[in-house]
Amino acid sequence: MKRPISLAHLTVIELNPPDVFSAAAEAGYSYASLRLAPASPGKEAQFPMIGDTPMFRETQRRIAETGVALFDFEILRINRDTRLTDFLPVIETGAKLGGKFVLVAGDVEDEPFMIDKFAEICELGAPFGIGMGLEFMPWTGVKTLASARRIAEATNPPNGHIIVDAIHVDRAGETAADVAAMPKHLHCYFQICDLPAERPKDNETMIYQARQARLPPGEGGLDLTGMLRAIPADLPISVEIPMAELAKTMPAVARARMLREKTEAMLQVIEAPARG
């Protein structure tokens, strides 16, 4: 495959960081991501990964043992009270593990504020060689790809990028054409998943689908083929497909392998014209 394919931690969120790499290797991935900081502080378990902890050292060992590299890590949430220097331990940990990008979420619906903070956080990550991936989500302060572009283009740091997630493109009411219009240098990686075509009418349902009830590629109603054709041909793909109900009966490795196979099958269809 031309594109690197990474197993997102959210897809196998029941696993601790060392086991993510073992599962990724067994399921046929070359890359994986880690959630080093919780998406919902106080509501989500925090793995003891910051600092020279036993779990951090075991994660280093599994990365070396399996050959699966850390691609990206998460999550840095910017709000009004955020002190960006508080993010340094997470950034340092991800950098020590070899991560290339960190996911940044903006919880403030104020673009001038976010422009300033995104510029600062990019500057914070630059000495570590870490790319900052701003992810728009319809229920956060940065709700659309258009908003994320305005923020990133106003700051324009070398390590400032945008993460495009199929669910967020669709749920924000945007299309593959909007993705295609984004300059190549702003792309970070593409998070693949599928979902029912009908859009939820409330944020609570939207968040539930995003965090627990996505579908494998090709089993929903999103314009995945259009989005995949819209992104750069070599852009890495992150398989971020949490399926809480299926996880009750299908082990993490089996799910990860199935999702990789379905992702690769869709990519083969997309890439077939170029080969022919």
Side-chain angles (χ1 to χ4, degrees):
M1 303 298 293
K2 293 181 181 178
R3 308 172 191 261
I5 299 179
S6 175
L7 174 64
H9 196 167
L10 184 59
T11 302
V12 289
I13 197 61
E14 70 268 34
L15 300 182
N16 64 31
D19 289 345
V20 168
F21 290 93
S22 295
E26 193 173 344
Y29 293 80
S30 298
Y31 300 90
S33 80
L34 284 181
R35 181 163 285 185
L36 295 179
S40 302
K43 299 180 182 179
E44 189 177 307
Q46 170 66 63
F47 296 106
M49 286 287 293
I50 308 302
D52 188 25
T53 67
M55 185 174 284
F56 172 82
R57 293 194 297 272
E58 177 60 17
T59 302
Q60 282 186 311
R61 190 186 72 80
R62 298 283 183 95
I63 289 172
E65 177 184 86
T66 63
V68 175
L70 176 63
F71 186 75
D72 64 290
F73 55 100
E74 54 183 47
I75 177 172
L76 309 182
R77 305 200 75 102
I78 298 175
N79 56 54
R80 289 286 183 190
D81 301 322
T82 298
R83 293 188 308 173
L84 295 186
T85 52
D86 289 346
F87 293 147
L88 275 173
V90 174
I91 295 172
E92 289 173 346
T93 298
K96 287 177 181 177
L97 293 171
K100 298 175 175 61
F101 299 99
V102 60
L103 188 155
V104 178
D107 290 333
V108 180
E109 198 171 344
D110 178 341
E111 286 188 10
F113 175 87
M114 283 301 306
I115 287 168
D116 289 343
K117 292 303 177 184
F118 191 60
E120 290 176 25
I121 203 169
C122 287
E123 186 176 350
L124 195 68
F128 300 92
I130 298 294
M132 297 292 166
L134 180 62
E135 183 173 19
F136 62 97
M137 299 173 246
W139 58 86
T140 65
V142 184
K143 301 182 182 302
T144 64
L145 174 57
S147 178
R149 276 192 64 180
R150 287 191 292 270
I151 292 166
E153 290 177 338
T155 57
N156 199 33
N159 64 329
H161 307 280
I162 295 171
I163 298 168
V164 177
D165 187 327
I167 182 177
H168 303 323
V169 172
D170 182 84
R171 281 8 187 185
E174 293 171 311
T175 67
D178 297 302
V179 177
M182 191 167 86
K184 181 176 180 179
H185 75 274
L186 288 181
H187 279 280
C188 190
Y189 52 89
F190 180 77
Q191 292 180 324
I192 196 169
C193 69
D194 217 333
L195 281 167
E198 183 178 358
R199 292 173 183 148
K201 295 179 174 59
D202 59 275
N203 282 349
E204 184 179 42
T205 304
M206 199 182 302
I207 293 169
Y208 171 77
Q209 284 186 344
R211 294 181 179 171
Q212 299 190 54
R214 303 193 192 194
L215 296 172
E219 294 190 12
L222 301 189
D223 180 22
L224 278 184
T225 56
M227 292 186 215
L228 287 170
R229 289 190 172 107
I231 62 177
D234 57 350
L235 192 72
I237 302 292
S238 174
V239 178
E240 187 174 71
I241 310 176
M243 305 175 71
E245 284 302 310
L246 185 61
K248 294 176 182 178
T249 57
M250 181 181 283
V253 171
R255 293 199 322 277
R257 182 182 296 114
M258 176 269 291
L259 294 170
R260 176 186 57 77
E261 290 171 350
K262 287 184 176 291
T263 296
E264 289 181 345
M266 182 166 282
L267 288 174
Q268 287 172 357
V269 170
I270 298 302
E271 294 165 359
R275 292 197 302 268

